[in-house]
Amino acid sequence: MNITNPIDQGVYIEALLDNSTGLINTSPKFINTDFPTLQGNQMQRYSFSSFEPDGDSLVHKLVTPMDGGGYRAALPALPCAQPVAGFMPSPFQLNTATGEATTSPFSLIVGSYVIAVKVEEYRRINSTWTLIGSITRDITYLANPGGNTNPTFTSLQVGAATQPFEKAIRANPGQTISVTLDASDADAGQMLSFSTAAATVVPGVSLQTVSATQSRLTWQVPANLPLGRYYLPVAVTDNGCPLLGSDSRTLTFLVTSQVLSTKFGKQPLSIFATPTPFREQVQFQLGQAGTQTVSVLDGLGRTVAQLTSKPDGSVVWQPAASLAPGIYVARTADGRQVRLLRE
């Protein structure tokens, strides 16, 4: 970006990669690009969540800003506010797993401040969790006297089921998940807008405004995405003046190979197996021509076979004699599945 009078300003970012062992790695990336604003003494949420496509484990930490100072005045404040000289404790508490920052009760001191968050990246190497990299970013935030009530997210639905914001949303690779979010604002006449920076960072994410108080986040989970937990921020912002009010929530997605039980009974199966039950061999038809990859999973969600359909869409599975009897599930990359019962 172009920076006006850069000699008078500092923009700090730091990245570390330990490739001494020859490992190949993609660094995590902060998702959000906007900055938080404290409106009076209201609770404020902001997401420092990050995305890492290799399946490594991430830990978020509050650290000392890289210019060597504490949480000190950094930018010129608004005409109605006075910058603060010296230092102040951060009013934010940080969830080390999700990267969601939340203010605890604090005494408002008007001004502009710096906060820095570091994301450490760990990978299991030779059965030991090893720090392989990190990124750190300083951002500024404004504390102002307030006067505008922040909007707030009020409910979350996955499909037709309501669940708490803190509960993980389960998904399979290749599956499309829709999450409906409702929000409200105590200030009469204000308009709300919804956004997610994840749409430009995380593959397959999109956000659609449904109504004046509702939006829908959709994630088409990449079929090759490593299993694990992923954190996607969503924000709602009002049109208050002179400063906008906002709320941010970090949604947790658990991407797993375990077949989701909600699939059964709520969606018709589009593939059928014969014979049922079977002993030596079972066959099913995908319902569309062309070769596709089909995963067979046991009752614990473990992949026991990878099959490829024939050009006519048929699939034949002939498991080894040592495979235990029981219920298995065959699943395509687009989420269609069928139960297989072996005697």
Side-chain angles (χ1 to χ4, degrees):
M1 67 179 68
N2 292 325
I3 303 173
T4 304
N5 299 323
I7 194 171
D8 298 326
Q9 301 189 43
V11 176
Y12 298 89
I13 186 166
E14 176 187 80
L16 167 68
L17 170 64
D18 180 2
N19 61 356
S20 58
T21 60
L23 61 82
I24 298 174
N25 180 53
T26 303
S27 294
K29 182 176 183 180
F30 286 106
I31 297 177
N32 261 351
T33 55
D34 56 347
F35 293 164
T37 299
L38 302 185
Q39 297 274 9
N41 292 95
Q42 298 179 74
M43 185 190 75
Q44 181 71 54
R45 278 184 289 255
Y46 180 78
S47 178
F48 285 98
S49 61
S50 51
F51 175 69
E52 197 282 326
D54 299 329
D56 296 327
S57 294
L58 305 180
V59 178
H60 301 76
K61 295 181 177 181
L62 283 172
V63 295
T64 301
M66 286 176 283
D67 64 357
Y71 300 92
R72 63 178 181 81
L75 296 177
L78 294 180
C80 59
Q82 295 297 320
V84 177
F87 305 92
M88 68 172 286
S90 171
F92 288 100
Q93 295 178 330
L94 186 69
N95 185 310
T96 57
T98 68
E100 184 171 85
T102 307
T103 57
S104 53
F106 64 99
S107 298
L108 179 72
I109 306 176
V110 173
S112 299
Y113 298 90
V114 176
I115 185 173
V117 169
K118 182 177 186 178
V119 181
E120 294 182 338
E121 181 182 13
Y122 291 85
R123 182 177 299 180
R124 188 183 289 275
I125 301 175
N126 297 326
S127 301
T128 301
W129 286 107
T130 305
L131 177 65
I132 62 171
S134 66
I135 56 172
T136 305
R137 184 177 65 170
D138 284 6
I139 68 169
T140 59
Y141 66 93
L142 176 66
N144 75 94
N148 178 21
T149 304
N150 288 330
T152 182
F153 282 106
T154 56
S155 67
L156 177 153
Q157 287 183 310
V158 181
T162 300
Q163 72 174 53
F165 281 89
E166 296 76 16
K167 183 179 178 180
I169 301 166
R170 300 173 69 87
N172 292 135
Q175 184 183 13
T176 298
I177 296 289
S178 292
V179 180
T180 302
L181 301 148
D182 290 279
S184 64
D185 194 314
D187 295 328
Q190 291 196 356
M191 298 178 62
L192 302 181
S193 60
F194 299 88
S195 62
T196 176
T200 61
V201 177
V202 182
V205 174
S206 61
L207 186 72
Q208 176 187 11
T209 298
V210 178
S211 69
T213 59
Q214 189 178 81
S215 65
R216 181 171 296 116
L217 182 142
T218 302
W219 189 21
Q220 184 175 357
V221 184
N224 60 347
L225 191 71
L227 305 182
R229 293 179 183 267
Y230 296 86
Y231 306 101
L232 307 184
V234 290
V236 58
T237 305
D238 63 23
N239 63 338
C241 183
L243 290 174
L244 308 180
S246 66
D247 186 24
S248 175
R249 299 305 297 253
T250 303
L251 309 183
T252 300
F253 287 82
L254 175 59
V255 179
T256 172
S257 61
Q258 185 173 357
V259 177
L260 307 182
S261 60
T262 53
K263 283 284 189 180
F264 301 110
K266 292 189 176 183
Q267 297 183 7
L269 296 176
S270 57
I271 49 181
F272 304 91
T274 57
T276 300
F278 76 98
R279 290 186 179 180
E280 289 82 15
Q281 179 177 295
V282 64
Q283 179 172 332
F284 48 91
Q285 189 77 27
L286 296 182
Q288 62 186 51
T291 58
Q292 294 188 58
T293 299
V294 179
S295 300
V296 181
L297 303 97
D298 64 12
L300 297 178
R302 298 173 298 190
T303 300
V304 298
Q306 290 282 357
L307 310 175
T308 301
S309 64
K310 297 179 181 179
D312 63 356
S314 63
V315 182
V316 176
W317 182 37
Q318 187 172 2
S322 59
L323 189 70
I327 295 177
Y328 296 85
V329 174
R331 177 168 57 82
T332 63
D334 60 6
R336 290 175 297 145
Q337 57 193 30
V338 63
R339 294 192 187 203
L340 308 173
L341 176 58
R342 190 183 195 195
E343 291 183 318

